[in-house]
Amino acid sequence: MPDFDAEAHVVHMAAAMALPIAPEWQSGVVAHMAATARAAALLLDPPVGDHVEPAPVFEP
């Protein structure tokens, strides 16, 4: 995810949610956001063919 700026995202969302983040926690929050974005990319990046349809109901 080269164009995802975790630091800018954290700053923006903290302001939007009026969520104070202590300065000593900021780098940790940014690191976790970047790690979460990388994990999400693993699920979102693989191509899915047009023939694939979601299951209407999960049945174990």
Side-chain angles (χ1 to χ4, degrees), residues 3-45:
D3 36 23
F4 178 71
D5 184 349
E7 186 168 4
H9 182 74
V10 168
V11 169
H12 171 78
M13 291 308 295
M17 297 174 16
L19 178 67
I21 300 175
E24 63 270 18
W25 289 78
Q26 183 83 12
S27 64
V29 173
V30 170
H32 281 278
M33 182 57 63
T36 301
R38 288 190 304 272
L42 294 174
L43 298 173
L44 298 174
D45 283 348

